[in-house]
Amino acid sequence: MKTAILLMGHGSRVAEANSALYDIAEMVKAETGCPIIEVSFREQHAPNIQKGIDACVAKGATRILLYPYFLFAGAHVLEDLPEEIEAARKRHPGLEMVLGKPLGVHRKLAEIVCERIESTLQDAGWSQ
């Protein structure tokens, strides 16, 4: 079985915001060694999730971990993404797909927030 990871972002009209997910994908590929890593967006930017799934299948994936690069499990994660998976199942019978959990609350995220706060305070010339 060939596994793919599809990173799914919200999508933005701001191109730089979308390109950040491609940077994350490269880091994930280096960290995991997974040969098939694709990026897709829920809205406002291509490729959409269906095209992302299709790209994984075209590269030989028989199962896909669809990872929502979202902070919390809101409407997109709880409703829209499962609908996307269901639509893909109809087009790709036999393809195994599982939806990962969003970033959520995690100590490492809090550490990153603290680093960004400290950096911003330094840039502003403010001392704590």
Side-chain angles (χ1 to χ4, degrees):
M1 298 219 147
K2 201 168 188 181
T3 302
I5 298 172
L6 177 62
L7 296 177
M8 302 176 296
H10 184 272
S12 172
R13 293 183 306 261
V14 178
E16 295 80 27
N18 298 316
S19 64
L21 190 53
Y22 288 96
D23 295 338
I24 293 294
E26 287 301 317
M27 293 176 203
V28 169
K29 187 171 191 169
E31 188 75 22
T32 65
C34 183
I36 305 172
I37 306 267
E38 292 291 327
V39 169
S40 64
F41 299 94
R42 172 70 186 122
E43 53 192 50
Q44 300 188 26
H45 194 70
N48 66 27
I49 292 169
Q50 296 304 313
K51 289 188 192 245
I53 292 168
D54 292 346
C56 292
V57 170
K59 291 182 177 180
T62 55
R63 58 188 185 186
I64 304 172
L65 166 59
L66 296 104
Y67 184 77
Y69 192 73
F70 289 74
L71 191 52
F72 299 111
H76 284 318
V77 173
L78 297 174
E79 298 168 10
D80 300 333
L81 298 181
E83 288 174 6
E84 294 276 5
I85 292 170
E86 198 52 44
R89 280 198 171 106
K90 292 176 183 171
R91 291 184 300 99
H92 298 288
L95 177 64
E96 292 182 57
M97 291 178 278
V98 64
L99 180 61
K101 295 177 182 169
L103 293 166
V105 177
H106 195 285
R107 179 151 308 282
K108 289 183 181 181
L109 289 173
E111 290 172 16
I112 293 167
V113 169
C114 290
E115 287 175 14
R116 298 293 166 90
I117 288 170
E118 182 61 32
S119 175
T120 302
L121 289 171
Q122 287 178 3
D123 290 348
W126 297 3
S127 60
Q128 270 279 112

